[in-house]
Amino acid sequence: MTLWTAILIASIVCVVWKTLGYLIPQRWLDAPRPMRIADLLTVALLAALVAVQTLGAGQAVVIDARVPAVLVAAGLLLLRAPFLVVVAAAALAAALLRLWGWAS
């Protein structure tokens, strides 16, 4: 199977999946359980994305300046800091660690 064949099949599956979502009755989606599952699934997918982007480098797990930067961001989010402050502080933490040679 070529890469383009896999991309076309994945695209068709996504379109079919999205179309099936429109066929689900609205009363099923308004029930408490599907709404709670959707909320929790969103958080779980975002957490997985952050973990993969922070620790992943190809097929390897890498601990570098991204890990302390994410910890700084998490701490500031717990303190309810504005989002731009969180992003700037995390970037500054990673940049300083790389500048000082503590995390490459």
Side-chain angles (χ1 to χ4, degrees):
M1 178 184 311
T2 66
L3 178 63
W4 285 109
T5 305
I7 291 172
L8 286 173
I9 290 171
S11 300
I12 292 168
V13 168
C14 287
V15 169
V16 169
W17 189 256
K18 185 171 180 118
T19 304
L20 289 175
Y22 286 116
L23 298 176
I24 296 174
Q26 187 64 35
R27 69 181 194 291
W28 289 4
L29 298 175
D30 290 337
R33 179 174 279 166
M35 290 179 71
R36 186 163 187 266
I37 290 171
D39 288 343
L40 293 175
L41 188 61
T42 304
V43 172
L45 288 173
L46 182 58
L49 177 64
V50 168
V52 167
Q53 292 297 314
T54 301
L55 299 172
Q59 295 293 321
V61 175
V62 177
I63 306 292
D64 60 5
R66 295 176 290 181
V67 174
V70 169
L71 293 175
V72 167
L76 288 174
L77 285 173
L78 286 173
L79 296 173
R80 306 267 188 219
F83 184 70
L84 289 177
V85 172
V86 171
V87 171
L92 181 64
L96 287 175
L97 286 173
R98 288 182 174 153
L99 176 69
W100 296 331
W102 291 349
S104 52

